Amino acid sequence: STNPAPARVAPAPIASRFGMDEPEWVLDDFDKGDASAWKAAGWANPAMLSTSNGMLKVELMEGKSDKVAVGRSIRLDMSNRTRLMMDIVNNTSRSAQLAVAFIGGDASRYLETMSLAVKPGLNQNLTLDLTAKTFKSAESEWKHNSAFDNAQAVKQLFLLIYTRGTGEMLIDNLRG
């Protein structure tokens, strides 16, 4: 069966939903079983998204890219955040890599973090350092030497799962 084209989701107001002024904040925990804000990006391998046991379920599908990208539109000021954390259950038999991409700022600049290893099984507290000059972009010629300089106006956020083949990843507790 085919899924209808997803409706465009209006972004949440800046900070009001995510407790950005709190020492700890949660962007998404999927406990309500709602993954409707998240979409598979057409510029990467296809994926089917749903929720399972209060987690975002990403069913990886074959494609020509080296990654699956799932993202959401958002309006978020992350300039006072030092990290982004999440828990991932890798239900494949192979290791993968995970990076996060942010699109934001006046020119909608794309910045991508360095990747983290995601071993098969449970990976708790995977942590990306948002303060390190280890982001890559077109301006850095795709070298990991840029700062997160569009953090004050994030418009889109993508989870990039670098792996080939099919399988399933469960993502939970996207937080800082």
Side-chain angles (χ1 to χ4, degrees):
S1 79
T2 60
N3 290 331
R8 186 155 178 87
V9 177
I14 292 176
S16 66
R17 181 167 168 234
F18 303 109
M20 292 300 292
D21 295 328
E22 302 296 323
E24 298 282 326
W25 58 277
V26 175
L27 178 66
D28 254 321
D29 63 9
F30 308 102
D31 286 341
K32 293 183 178 148
D34 183 13
S36 62
W38 292 86
K39 309 289 179 231
W43 44 265
N45 288 343
M48 296 289 291
L49 305 181
S50 60
T51 55
S52 176
N53 297 320
M55 294 180 271
L56 176 64
K57 180 179 178 180
V58 181
E59 294 179 61
L60 309 168
M61 301 167 80
E62 293 282 354
K64 295 179 180 179
S65 180
D66 61 345
K67 65 185 159 289
V68 165
V70 297
R72 63 171 293 165
S73 293
I74 198 165
R75 288 180 55 222
L76 197 57
D77 180 354
M78 295 184 69
S79 59
N80 67 341
R81 298 288 121 189
T82 60
R83 67 183 183 197
L84 184 65
M85 299 171 64
M86 68 196 80
D87 304 325
I88 297 180
V89 178
N90 177 353
N91 283 331
T92 72
S93 60
R94 63 196 178 280
S95 290
Q97 295 288 311
L98 172 91
V100 176
F102 301 93
I103 296 177
D106 293 336
S108 291
R109 184 174 178 214
Y110 177 100
L111 284 169
E112 183 178 321
T113 66
M114 290 189 77
S115 62
L116 299 172
V118 182
K119 66 184 183 342
L122 178 61
N123 297 262
Q124 286 187 296
N125 301 318
L126 290 175
T127 304
L128 294 158
D129 182 355
L130 301 179
T131 64
K133 288 187 176 181
T134 55
F135 288 79
K136 71 178 182 178
S137 67
E139 294 82 4
S140 72
E141 299 178 351
W142 303 109
K143 294 183 178 101
H144 285 282
N145 60 12
S146 295
F148 186 19
D149 57 12
N150 63 355
Q152 72 286 350
V154 174
K155 297 174 186 172
Q156 290 181 290
L157 180 145
F158 291 93
L159 305 177
L160 308 174
I161 303 167
Y162 286 89
T163 188
R164 294 208 182 259
T166 61
E168 175 186 281
M169 300 269 181
L170 299 169
I171 300 168
D172 200 15
N173 300 319
L174 195 55
R175 64 200 184 276

